Amino acid sequence: MLKPRRRWHIPQIDADEINRIAKANRIHPLIARLLKQRGLNEQEEIARFLHINIDGLHDPFLLDGMKKAVDRIQSAIIKNEKILIYGDYDADGVSSTTLLYKTLEILKANFAYYIPNRFTEGYGLNKEAIIQAEKDGYKLIITVDTGISAVEEADVAKELGITLIITDHHEPPAVLPAAFAIINPKKPGDPYPFKGLAGVGVAYKLAHALLGRIPMEFIDIASIGTIADLVPLMDENRIITHFGLQQMKTTQHTGLKVLLEKTGLISKDITAGHIGFMIGPRINASGRLATAEHAVRLLLSDHEEEATELVEVIERINSERQSLVEIIAKEALEMIESQAMQQDKVFVLVKEGWNVGTIGIVASRIVEKYYRPTIILSMDEETQMAKGSARSIEGYDIYQALTEAKDILPHFGGHPAAAGLSIKAEDIQSLRTKLNKLADKWLSDEDFIPIEKVDAACSIHDVDISLIKQIEQLAPFGIGNPSPTFLINQIKVESVVSMGKDNRHLKLQVGNQQKKLEAILFKKGELVNDIAPQAAIELVGEFTINEWNGKIKPQIILKDMQISDIQIFDWRHKQDKRVLLQEIITDKSLVLYDDQLEGIESSFKGDMATYDSLILYSPLPSTE
């Protein structure tokens, strides 16, 4: 036997409905199932999903407040009033700022931009910046990716005679700021048909309205913030991402082009994964450790020499960010081990001096390793206040949990999976106790086993190049439209080997005489001796096309696997079998020697179901 690392969950979908969708759209039933799971039922919406068209973008004037905002901005341009773009320091905020900057540049406005410092000013619109803007003669402030909660700040702007236009996508509070105009599809009563735009998506709609056309020249910039901010890649986000990724191949933005060259992506078919794991983190790193100014200047740069210098700066910052994450993660893991915290259902870890710009990444690392809700807090020695980032697991709403402890939290916010907070040092133990009691109440033992969401079960005979190319039509993949995961049941293992540097990875050949399939499991090469040839294995993973030496064949990249039945290992002719025996033998392994193989059934002690492996073993000849 070989146990899976996760709980596999396959949603139940009516087979007749899948067949109806497949027949109506002339697609494979597995593709029909994937579309159904994404909430797509009717032929027209399925056609829009499979055949992405830029005309699928909605009219920006459907957004409440858009016309009012556009009229005021146009008036400011005509009067040559000074306009300030006020952004945020993450990748969404940086791309939003860049996009609106380039738009106002086309319109020949009198403008500048401002992004607060994460460490000295914190998140969002702040009073000091508004007061300074008034002193500098700005008459209009336009926020991007921020501002929806800036109630007091809006009042300050009003008192100073500054017009405030808020564009944002975050959840609105019960009381909205008294701004001149608020553009946010999530605003109560807003009729806009799609609520899931990123901050840069809202900025893109404003650019569309101001220019009177779809600004295709900025769609690659818009796709960066859309992907990096982890909004659902459906509806307009899917359109923006699709065309944005296409345009990156021939981008006219010098800074972005240099960044793509530096990361080795300029000649590749760029995917949402490339942006999410390579481009987004570099842009985010600037705001996490220093100032987002470097990232904005890079995306605005029209000069290759300047862009190259800025990329080098960002690369150094990103390397520093990676080093800090490794150091803090190591210290956090040591805390869990040394303080015997493994029994905690919710980890609350705190230390002075941890970098507040990286602790969210560390929290995600801890969740990945232990699958426990985790809060990482950085303590300020002087004020004895801690700032933290929280990440959670399915079934434990971290925002609701923090709400239950709001009496000891001066500030907190977020959503079920992630949150931010501040807390006094003296209240940290109370928070730890409260959150763990809620875990006792809300979670069962099974909830601490990670879930692997499987889209569909299929046969090895379903897997071919044609099917995989149909799956690729569902891209770009990301939040809301994940890369499909499949289960192949009870397929025979033909061979198993370790591969790669230091044999870190595992490669299996599975199938039969009629059909074979290669399966790769990364970073699990040590399992090579845990899988017996001819074992009936179940595989969970993503299908890909492997191209090598001119040959094209389907492949499955594994996420998990299991062997439900007893495995038989024949080691009678292996020279290194004693080492193998030490590695694999457990109290559920039955070892049979040569003289026991005759009449094998009578040699079993107890029920066969109590064993997970049967090892056929011959001792090495004696050297005496």
Side-chain angles (χ1 to χ4, degrees):
M1 294 180 183
L2 183 69
K3 292 183 178 180
R5 293 174 294 165
R6 295 171 174 261
R7 289 179 287 153
W8 301 351
H9 174 68
I10 306 178
Q12 297 299 313
I13 298 179
D14 182 75
D16 291 339
E17 182 67 5
I18 292 172
N19 290 331
R20 179 192 68 79
I21 294 172
K23 186 176 181 180
N25 295 276
R26 297 181 180 180
I27 54 178
H28 195 288
L30 283 174
I31 303 298
R33 180 185 176 92
L34 297 175
L35 294 171
K36 176 69 177 176
Q37 287 175 200
R38 284 151 179 74
L40 303 168
N41 298 288
E42 302 306 320
Q43 199 162 347
E44 184 178 339
E45 62 182 355
I46 288 172
R48 283 202 306 270
F49 186 88
L50 294 176
H51 308 288
I52 305 174
N53 194 309
I54 195 66
D55 294 333
L57 293 176
H58 306 303
D59 182 349
F61 287 101
L62 292 176
L63 280 159
D64 184 57
M66 181 64 81
K67 185 177 188 309
K68 191 176 181 182
V70 168
D71 289 346
R72 178 65 183 90
I73 294 168
Q74 289 175 338
S75 173
I77 293 171
I78 291 169
K79 295 177 182 178
N80 199 37
E81 291 179 334
K82 292 181 73 174
I83 302 170
L84 183 66
I85 304 168
Y86 192 106
D88 187 27
Y89 39 67
D90 67 358
D92 191 12
V94 166
S95 53
S96 300
T97 302
T98 302
L99 193 152
L100 190 54
Y101 186 105
K102 288 176 177 284
T103 301
L104 294 181
E105 196 172 43
I106 290 173
L107 297 170
K108 302 188 184 308
N110 181 5
F111 72 100
Y113 71 89
Y114 182 83
I115 294 180
N117 185 288
R118 178 192 293 266
F119 304 99
T120 59
E121 297 173 88
Y123 171 78
L125 195 60
N126 68 79
K127 298 174 187 177
E128 290 74 17
I130 296 171
I131 292 169
Q132 187 60 51
E134 191 274 335
K135 289 178 180 177
D136 293 340
Y138 289 96
K139 299 297 183 183
L140 172 61
I141 294 177
I142 308 170
T143 73
V144 287
D145 190 36
T146 190
I148 195 62
S149 299
V151 174
E152 293 181 13
E153 291 78 8
D155 291 340
V156 170
K158 198 170 187 178
E159 289 171 8
L160 293 173
I162 294 177
T163 302
L164 177 63
I165 294 174
I166 293 172
T167 77
D168 202 349
H169 74 118
H170 295 99
E171 292 293 337
V175 178
L176 294 176
F180 177 80
I182 298 176
I183 304 172
N184 184 336
K186 294 176 182 173
K187 189 173 64 175
D190 194 300
Y192 199 68
F194 181 58
K195 307 298 184 183
L197 290 168
V200 73
V202 179
Y204 194 72
K205 306 308 294 187
L206 177 58
H208 183 176
L210 284 168
L211 295 172
R213 59 178 176 80
I214 297 173
M216 288 300 294
E217 66 268 39
F218 305 147
I219 203 162
D220 46 1
I221 300 293
S223 70
I224 293 173
T226 298
I227 295 166
D229 213 55
L230 303 179
V231 292
L233 297 187
M234 299 292 283
D235 204 287
E236 285 191 300
N237 292 337
R238 178 172 167 78
I239 296 171
I240 290 170
T241 303
H242 172 82
F243 287 102
L245 292 174
Q246 278 190 350
Q247 187 159 294
M248 280 189 201
K249 299 175 188 177
T250 57
T251 184
Q252 298 304 302
H253 304 290
T254 304
L256 177 57
K257 183 178 180 181
V258 172
L259 181 58
L260 292 171
E261 287 173 344
K262 179 67 178 179
T263 52
L265 296 176
I266 196 67
S267 59
K268 292 186 178 180
D269 288 331
I270 301 171
T271 67
H274 289 131
I275 303 302
F277 292 104
M278 298 180 73
I279 301 302
R282 283 169 167 77
I283 294 174
N284 273 324
S286 181
R288 286 187 187 278
L289 265 63
T291 168
E293 178 79 13
H294 302 302
V296 177
R297 286 178 57 206
L298 172 64
L299 293 183
L300 290 175
S301 180
D302 291 325
H303 304 288
E304 189 168 338
E305 185 176 343
E306 178 193 39
T308 301
E309 291 176 359
L310 287 166
V311 166
E312 293 300 330
V313 170
I314 287 174
E315 283 293 312
R316 288 197 296 272
I317 293 172
N318 190 50
S319 294
E320 184 184 350
R321 188 267 306 171
Q322 291 171 328
S323 297
L324 278 173
V325 168
E326 293 301 324
I327 291 168
I328 298 172
K330 182 175 182 291
E331 292 175 348
L333 291 169
E334 287 174 352
M335 280 185 187
I336 294 172
E337 296 294 333
S338 65
Q339 297 178 18
M341 295 175 65
Q342 295 95 321
Q343 300 306 311
D344 284 4
K345 294 184 177 179
V346 180
F347 294 140
V348 180
L349 307 172
V350 58
K351 187 176 179 181
E352 291 179 359
W354 277 348
N355 183 279
V356 296
T358 60
I359 54 179
I361 302 171
V362 175
S364 296
R365 288 268 192 99
I366 302 298
V367 172
E368 184 178 349
K369 180 175 178 62
Y370 289 101
Y371 202 65
R372 296 283 188 276
T374 300
I375 296 177
I376 305 292
L377 294 162
S378 176
M379 178 64 65
D380 186 306
E381 183 180 8
E382 184 177 334
T383 65
Q384 285 297 288
M385 287 290 296
K387 290 183 179 180
S389 288
R391 299 292 184 270
S392 196
I393 64 175
E394 192 130 351
Y396 193 87
D397 184 331
I398 192 65
Y399 178 75
Q400 183 58 41
L402 294 176
T403 301
E404 298 272 344
K406 63 183 178 182
D407 56 315
I408 57 173
L409 298 176
H411 301 287
F412 73 96
H415 51 81
L421 68 149
S422 62
I423 187 172
K424 294 178 182 177
E426 63 196 57
D427 291 325
I428 292 174
Q429 184 54 47
S430 296
L431 178 66
R432 183 181 287 114
T433 301
K434 179 73 174 178
L435 297 183
N436 273 281
K437 284 183 177 178
L438 289 172
D440 288 334
K441 181 179 177 182
W442 293 350
L443 301 174
S444 67
D445 290 343
E446 188 180 58
D447 289 321
F448 293 102
I449 302 172
I451 295 173
E452 185 65 61
K453 295 180 179 178
V454 179
D455 290 280
C458 65
S459 162
I460 190 174
H461 299 289
D462 291 317
V463 187
D464 56 26
I465 300 298
S466 173
L467 173 65
I468 297 173
K469 286 185 175 179
Q470 287 187 61
I471 292 170
E472 289 174 348
Q473 277 191 276
L474 308 184
F477 297 120
I479 301 297
N481 182 37
S483 182
T485 298
F486 296 93
L487 165 66
I488 300 179
N489 272 313
Q490 295 291 307
I491 189 73
K492 291 286 185 183
V493 175
E494 293 287 313
S495 66
V496 54
V497 296
S498 55
M499 56 176 275
K501 185 179 179 181
D502 300 324
N503 291 318
R504 291 181 66 204
H505 312 304
L506 194 71
K507 180 166 75 172
L508 294 86
Q509 191 81 17
V510 299
N512 49 43
Q513 289 184 342
Q514 289 76 37
K515 185 74 175 281
K516 293 188 186 335
L517 181 66
E518 188 176 83
I520 305 294
L521 183 60
F522 290 113
K523 298 181 181 180
K524 288 293 178 182
E526 71 274 10
L527 295 178
V528 67
N529 295 320
D530 294 358
I531 301 172
Q534 298 304 305
I537 197 167
E538 296 171 54
L539 305 175
V540 167
E542 299 176 7
F543 297 140
T544 63
I545 296 174
N546 181 27
E547 298 185 36
W548 181 254
N549 285 340
K551 293 183 179 180
I552 300 176
K553 60 182 179 181
Q555 186 181 67
I556 181 169
I557 304 300
L558 296 179
K559 293 183 174 182
D560 208 356
M561 59 186 178
Q562 77 169 344
I563 298 172
S564 302
D565 300 325
I566 190 169
Q567 296 192 81
I568 301 175
F569 295 88
D570 188 349
W571 290 350
R572 289 172 293 175
H573 305 292
K574 282 186 176 289
Q575 294 302 308
D576 57 351
K577 52 181 170 286
R578 284 181 176 170
V579 175
L580 291 172
L581 192 63
Q582 290 172 356
E583 290 179 353
I584 196 171
I585 192 164
T586 69
D587 56 1
K588 291 191 175 182
S589 300
L590 179 62
V591 181
L592 297 179
Y593 295 89
D594 281 342
D595 58 359
Q596 294 176 298
L597 298 182
E598 188 173 347
I600 189 170
E601 293 182 4
S602 63
S603 67
F604 286 114
K605 297 178 181 178
D607 188 350
M608 187 65 181
T610 62
Y611 300 105
D612 58 22
S613 59
L614 170 62
I615 300 169
L616 309 183
Y617 185 81
S618 296
L620 291 174
S622 172
T623 58
E624 296 181 358

